[in-house]
Amino acid sequence: MVSHEWEVIWVCLLSRLAVSYLFPSLQQQLDRTVEFSTPVTSYRSLKEGAYLLGHQLPVYNGGVVHHPPILVSFMAFLQPMEFLVPVLFAAMDTLIACQLMIIARIYRRQLKMDSYIPGILYVLNPMVLLSCVSQSTSLFVNLSICSSLLFAIQKKSLLSAIFIAFAGYLSPYAYLLLIPLASICRSNYVGVVLKSILISILLQLISFELNNGNWNYVTSTYWAMITFSKMTPNLGLWWYFFIEMFEFFIPFFKSVFNIFVVSFIPPFTIRFYEQPIYAFILCLGWLTLTKGYPTLGDGGFFLSFVPFFKPLFGYLRYPVISTLLFIHAIILSPTFYYLWVGLGSGNSNFFYAISLVYALAIASVLVDLVWAMLRIEYDSGKPNLSLKLTQI
């Protein structure tokens, strides 16, 4: 690695450790916020599961733990060394930054930018930093997704299949990324899919054994995510919709919402088959927008891949609007939530309105990137920024 990349690595690791150890109460405060913690990513919930497991109590009977057994067992193993947990999360975040720089180095000639740029943007992103400090378990998912993408680019299909299977094991929506991922490994398309399925089966069998031969964890983890059984406020589009809906219609519309999550993944992959890396990033952004339990950390992770669209930046139409939308959402979401829950002077409409602003910010980035890719195709790969076309 070049010197700048090493500097980025050290800045990432030391900044995370410094914030975690200098402000030890910040982790608990962030873990209680809806912007960085959900029922399926909460570190408190993971610790609860580890405590129950350590005392040989049923982990999934109370409706509190929504993490899969392997992750709970791993946390139970770390409990005697809990003071080192911030080191683990800082190391994982640093590894993601390192992987982004490796991918940028692979595509340096195409991107025409220094390879450390995506890494430093990831390190300095406040959404990513605070997500790491909150010790959200979504970091395990993000690391698995980024690792899978890197190994797919390097044509290491087995490693790519292992990591995408683990990402799907932690969050079932991540399995959908197998579609664009297999497109990257197009020479071994079937092999990647079959390997990931076999590894997923193996992970489930291990979980079955760790859970004392009981499959009840499936209901508490995957089924709870897909059916959105915990209707708690978050930055997503689901919670307010189902709270306000008549109970009779809820099962049908939960199916509709899940179909909506899936519906755009194959079209993105097929339409941008010649640019499979870009298709993968678009699919990642779509999942960030539409899944039931999103956090700001998920949005920060998606935005970390935007620098890879640098050759298309001249075509972007709404970069300023998208940036302002993100700033408004980040600043006002905790304010509106406090007005609603803390002071009681607001109501749920305040917070849901700002969550819609956050969704609009992600959507505007996705629309802008798709438009830029269609324009570069229209210009036959030779940018013609002077030609003005009406955006469709």
Side-chain angles (χ1 to χ4, degrees), residues 164-216:
I164 198 63
F166 190 69
Y169 170 77
L170 298 174
S171 175
Y173 290 117
Y175 278 126
L176 296 174
L177 294 175
L178 183 59
I179 299 173
L181 190 72
S183 180
I184 298 174
C185 305
R186 58 185 63 178
S187 60
N188 194 14
Y189 191 101
V190 178
V192 172
V193 175
L194 291 178
K195 289 172 186 175
S196 63
I197 292 174
L198 292 175
I199 295 165
S200 298
I201 294 173
L202 177 61
L203 290 172
Q204 296 302 332
L205 292 176
I206 294 173
S207 299
F208 176 74
E209 291 298 324
L210 290 175
N211 198 39
N212 299 318
N214 196 327
W215 291 106
N216 66 342

Side-chain angles (χ1 to χ4, degrees), residues 59-131:
V59 177
Y60 297 102
N61 286 356
V64 175
V65 181
H66 302 284
H67 304 283
I70 293 179
L71 191 58
V72 174
S73 300
F74 179 66
M75 185 60 209
F77 170 76
L78 288 179
Q79 270 206 323
M81 304 173 288
E82 191 174 357
F83 65 96
L84 292 178
V85 171
V87 178
L88 171 65
F89 280 87
M92 289 195 298
D93 220 26
T94 303
L95 186 55
I96 293 176
C98 182
Q99 290 173 337
L100 290 172
M101 291 188 291
I102 293 174
I103 296 173
R105 198 189 313 150
I106 294 173
Y107 292 99
R108 177 182 293 177
R109 182 174 299 179
Q110 177 182 342
L111 297 177
K112 298 179 182 179
M113 71 175 179
D114 294 325
S115 58
Y116 70 88
I117 297 297
I120 195 64
L121 292 177
Y122 179 84
V123 172
L124 298 178
N125 190 325
M127 295 188 291
V128 172
L129 171 62
L130 294 177
S131 180

Side-chain angles (χ1 to χ4, degrees), residues 129-151:
L129 171 62
L130 294 177
S131 180
C132 176
V133 174
S134 72
Q135 297 174 9
S136 169
T137 59
S138 63
L139 192 58
F140 288 95
V141 181
N142 294 343
L143 176 59
S144 299
I145 291 173
C146 195
S147 300
S148 182
L149 175 61
L150 174 60
F151 289 125

Side-chain angles (χ1 to χ4, degrees), residues 44-56:
R44 276 184 304 160
S45 173
L46 181 60
K47 286 180 64 179
E48 178 73 14
Y51 176 84
L52 294 173
L53 183 64
H55 289 76
Q56 298 182 344

